[in-house]
């Protein structure tokens, strides 16, 4: 409600009580303003009511939720089930434009704003994780396999890889999505063997760094990248990502020097 609405509410309910309610709502609006200003993950997480309030406001900014609107556009949501509609906070409008999913959708200001904020917070999460070189992030609903495929294709495009650079060294995990993703992207899979983890106990397995170094040397210029893992089910242990990164950096430096 705006100032006028609160003033009118004060004629129906004691003004002191209305003022308390107004101040409570103002605090939640302050969270929204802070998020839009900082464009980063809030230092203190929001409560559910604040999240739902914000999502509701964003949804009402999309044209398919305008009063007296008849949605007939190609991306305007028309949801038959009220259960589905409510579970999505009435957000059913598509984002992006034809050929550019990151573009602003004129009829979906709320959804477009949410998408922008999600990308910015994803970028902030990467920075918190230590990946400070990242300059932008794009969040899309992809699972493991397709996400890897798109990443590999993006690397090929970014570095203008010649046809000869088609080897991906894959630190084996017993999960088909990774293997299929590399093949789907048009690359040749070379499996890096595993060994008993030096950091763990018992039967934990992780990438054989010595074997990885040998493969990096033997395949040399043909290697696009190394796909390893930070999380998997037992007995697979997380890889020593820093050690793998050092080997990759050394191999890249050697290639540049040659």
């Amino acid at each position: 409600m705006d100032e006028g609405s609160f003033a009118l509410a004060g004629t129906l309910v004691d003004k002191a009580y209305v003022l308390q309610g107004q101040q409570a709502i103002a605090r939640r609006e302050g969270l929204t303003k802070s998020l839009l200003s900082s464009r980063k993950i809030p230092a203190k997480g929001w409560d559910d009511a604040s999240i739902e309030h914000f999502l509701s406001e964003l949804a009402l900014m999309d044209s398919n939720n305008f009063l007296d609107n008849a949605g007939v556009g190609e991306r305007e949501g028309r949801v038959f089930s009220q259960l589905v509609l409510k579970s999505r906070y009435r957000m059913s409008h598509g984002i992006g434009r034809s050929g550019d999913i990151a573009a602003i959708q004129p009829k979906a200001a709320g959804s477009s704003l949410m998408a922008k904020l999600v990308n910015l917070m994803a970028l902030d999460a990467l920075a918190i994780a230590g990946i400070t070189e990242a300059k932008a992030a794009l969040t899309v609903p992809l699972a493991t396999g397709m996400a890897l495929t798109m990443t590999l294709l993006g690397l090929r495009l970014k570095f203008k890889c010649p046809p000869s650079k088609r080897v991906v060294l894959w630190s084996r995990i017993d999960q088909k999505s990774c293997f299929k993703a590399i093949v789907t992207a048009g690359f040749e899979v070379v499996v890096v063997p595993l060994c008993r983890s030096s950091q763990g106990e018992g039967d934990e397995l992780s990438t054989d760094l010595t074997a990885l170094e040998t493969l990096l040397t033997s395949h040399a210029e043909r290697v696009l990248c190394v796909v390893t893992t930070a999380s998997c089910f037992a007995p697979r242990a997380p890889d020593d990502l820093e050690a793998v990164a050092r080997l990759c950096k050394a191999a890249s430096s050697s290639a540049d020097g040659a």
Side-chain angles (χ1 to χ4, degrees):
M1 296 191 295
D2 58 16
E3 290 288 340
S5 297
F6 280 114
L8 291 172
T11 66
L12 299 171
V13 179
D14 191 295
K15 291 183 179 179
Y17 302 150
V18 172
L19 179 60
Q20 288 180 340
Q22 184 177 2
Q23 291 171 340
I25 292 177
R27 283 195 63 189
R28 298 190 191 280
E29 295 294 344
L31 294 176
T32 299
K33 185 176 181 180
S34 176
L35 177 62
L36 293 172
S37 176
S38 70
R39 304 178 182 185
K40 295 182 178 181
I41 299 173
K44 181 179 180 181
W46 292 13
D47 65 295
D48 290 351
S50 295
I51 295 173
E52 291 174 353
H53 175 68
F54 183 48
L55 290 176
S56 178
E57 287 192 316
L58 292 178
L60 294 178
M61 293 171 65
D62 288 355
S63 64
N64 61 294
N65 290 318
F66 289 177
L67 290 175
D68 302 321
N69 178 71
V72 294
E74 62 175 324
R75 291 183 177 83
E76 292 187 68
R78 292 173 289 279
V79 185
F80 174 77
S81 170
Q82 289 298 307
L83 181 62
V84 172
L85 191 63
K86 290 178 181 178
S87 69
R88 300 299 180 269
Y89 296 94
R90 299 188 178 277
M91 283 189 168
S92 59
H93 202 301
I95 60 172
R97 306 299 299 276
S98 178
D100 186 359
I101 194 172
I104 301 299
Q105 169 53 236
K107 293 184 179 181
S111 292
S112 295
L113 178 57
M114 181 175 70
K116 288 289 185 181
L117 287 171
V118 168
N119 289 338
L120 289 167
M121 287 192 288
L123 182 62
D124 185 42
L126 290 173
I128 292 172
I131 308 175
T132 56
E133 296 84 0
K135 303 303 180 185
L138 177 64
T139 308
V140 288
L142 299 179
T144 305
M146 187 56 71
L148 275 173
T149 296
M150 297 298 290
T151 299
L152 292 171
L153 292 174
L155 289 174
R156 170 186 283 169
L157 181 64
K158 177 177 176 61
F159 296 107
K160 299 179 181 178
C161 299
S164 60
K165 192 178 285 290
R166 59 187 310 271
V167 169
V168 172
L169 301 182
W170 175 51
S171 176
R172 176 180 170 176
I173 59 173
D174 292 331
Q175 198 248 38
K176 294 180 180 179
S177 293
C178 297
F179 184 87
K180 290 181 176 180
I182 299 170
V183 174
T184 300
F187 293 98
E188 175 188 340
V189 183
V190 174
V191 180
V192 181
L194 303 178
C195 64
R196 291 284 182 91
S197 175
S198 61
Q199 299 177 353
E201 298 179 356
D203 296 325
E204 282 192 338
L205 300 173
S206 62
T207 297
D208 187 334
L209 295 175
T210 302
L212 173 60
E213 186 175 17
T214 300
L215 289 171
L216 282 168
T217 302
S218 61
H219 289 281
E221 294 292 326
R222 298 182 65 232
V223 177
L224 172 75
C225 67
V226 175
V227 174
T228 185
T229 184
S231 176
C232 190
F233 46 82
R236 188 66 162 85
D239 283 320
D240 185 345
L241 301 184
E242 292 186 359
V244 172
R246 285 194 293 269
L247 289 176
C248 291
K249 184 176 181 179
S252 178
S253 298
S254 298
D256 292 341

